Amino acid sequence: MSLIRLDKFISERTEYSRSQIKQLAAKGSVTVGGVAVKKTDMKIDPDSDKIAVLGNIVASQRFRYILMNKPQGYVCSTNDNDGECVLELVPPELRTKNMFPAGRLDKDSMGALLITDDGELAHKMLSPKSHVPKIYIVKLDRPFQNNYINKFERGITISGGERCLPARVKAVENAEKLAIIEICEGKYHQVKRMFSAVGNHVDILMRVSLGGLVLPEKLGKGECMELLHKDVENLFKPSDFDLFCAKFSQNFSANLINNQL
């Protein structure tokens, strides 16, 4: 990677403006290789120089990818009038100025949510052409019926006359009101409307995978983790629905993830 101005490097990877970076440097709060620097227009090598602000290392990669276990009560909208935003849960050291939720989860839904500042990747992930599969665990109001399986596989028609692409759904062993569903599109309130179309109601909805990226069981409600490039690549790999269902059944209590369901 070619050399880049220190203030530009930090500004692109954090929430700090160039003027704020200059002020921090004047106070000795910006270091290059562990040494405080005053001049923020100096050139640095992003690949080899270790940059820190207020003791926090600034990641060398241009974009940042955060996986959040979204709790209920937070919105994915950046409009202040919609309520508390998921971005408020991202630790300050992981934030960048242009960060946004890639995709949506309803305010009362929870689970895997990607937050990034990489617009190109988000566009690719959300494009209908990509068909990134998503797996959800749902708690239903009434017991799961076996006829849901064939109905969802054929492609169900939801309220408003919209036709859904074929989806896979399966009951959870020893839990008549829990189900696992995989869809590969993202219509408005789709999972809830699909179950409504077969005469049931979703009480709780939790997304547990995006493509081949599975929400870690150890990631608690409202917690975040930074993804490595290899993890981000898993977004565009197919999920193994049967394997996920088998693992969920084998580790039933663990996969309830903090007893959220």
Side-chain angles (χ1 to χ4, degrees), residues 3-7 9-10 21 25 28-58:
L3 298 181
I4 183 175
R5 277 180 56 133
L6 176 62
D7 53 2
F9 172 86
I10 297 174
I21 296 166
S29 299
V30 176
T31 61
V32 177
V35 179
V37 296
K38 301 291 186 180
K39 294 184 177 181
T40 57
D41 60 352
M42 66 178 292
K43 295 292 183 70
I44 58 100
D45 184 340
D47 287 331
S48 60
D49 290 327
K50 183 178 289 187
I51 314 301
V53 178
L54 294 171
N56 296 313
I57 299 296
V58 180

Side-chain angles (χ1 to χ4, degrees), residues 135 137 180 208 214 240-249 255:
I135 297 177
I137 299 173
I180 304 173
V208 289
V214 178
D240 192 325
F241 183 71
D242 291 327
L243 179 61
F244 179 87
C245 292
K247 284 186 174 180
F248 184 85
S249 296
N255 276 280

Side-chain angles (χ1 to χ4, degrees), residues 8-226:
K8 183 176 189 295
F9 172 86
I10 297 174
S11 177
E12 288 178 341
R13 293 160 175 80
T14 68
E15 287 192 303
Y16 299 115
S17 66
R18 293 201 185 190
S19 60
Q20 289 174 323
I21 296 166
K22 188 174 182 179
Q23 292 172 1
L24 287 167
K27 298 176 181 178
S29 299
V30 176
T31 61
V32 177
V35 179
V37 296
K38 301 291 186 180
K39 294 184 177 181
T40 57
D41 60 352
M42 66 178 292
K43 295 292 183 70
I44 58 100
D45 184 340
D47 287 331
S48 60
D49 290 327
K50 183 178 289 187
I51 314 301
V53 178
L54 294 171
N56 296 313
I57 299 296
V58 180
S60 60
Q61 63 185 37
R62 172 62 182 85
F63 297 110
R64 183 157 275 171
Y65 309 94
I66 306 296
L67 179 63
M68 174 183 290
N69 184 357
K70 176 193 172 299
Q72 292 177 314
Y74 287 81
V75 298
C76 294
S77 167
T78 54
N79 187 330
D80 293 338
N81 295 325
D82 292 335
E84 291 182 294
C85 177
V86 291
L87 295 179
E88 297 173 27
L89 298 174
V90 179
E93 64 272 17
L94 294 181
R95 295 178 191 166
T96 66
K97 286 189 287 293
N98 301 316
M99 196 164 269
F100 61 94
R104 304 177 69 87
L105 277 175
D106 303 331
K107 185 175 183 178
D108 61 348
S109 299
M110 61 186 88
L113 178 68
L114 179 68
I115 297 177
T116 184
D117 51 4
D118 187 344
E120 184 175 344
L121 178 130
H123 177 76
K124 180 181 177 183
M125 187 184 85
L126 299 174
S127 170
K129 295 180 181 179
S130 296
H131 292 309
V132 173
K134 298 172 282 288
I135 297 177
Y136 299 80
I137 299 173
V138 297
K139 184 175 182 180
L140 300 170
D141 180 56
R142 290 179 287 282
F144 181 91
Q145 302 296 317
N146 286 331
N147 62 10
Y148 297 169
I149 297 173
N150 289 332
K151 288 182 177 181
F152 281 32
E153 281 184 347
R154 289 196 299 265
I156 202 164
T157 300
I158 56 179
S159 58
E162 290 184 89
R163 185 78 174 175
C164 295
L165 292 174
R168 301 187 67 185
V169 66
K170 193 170 185 177
V172 172
E173 294 179 12
N174 304 315
E176 63 177 9
K177 292 185 179 181
L178 283 186
I180 304 173
I181 178 173
E182 179 186 61
I183 62 174
C184 56
E185 53 185 341
K187 299 183 187 299
Y188 180 69
H189 290 325
Q190 182 174 340
V191 174
K192 295 177 181 178
R193 293 163 71 195
M194 290 174 76
F195 279 102
S196 177
V198 294
N200 212 322
H201 175 77
V202 173
D203 286 336
I204 301 177
L205 176 69
M206 182 174 190
R207 186 161 64 197
V208 289
S209 82
L210 295 163
L213 181 64
V214 178
L215 184 70
E217 294 172 19
K218 65 181 180 180
L219 195 65
K221 290 184 290 185
E223 292 182 353
C224 301
M225 61 178 287
E226 186 167 12

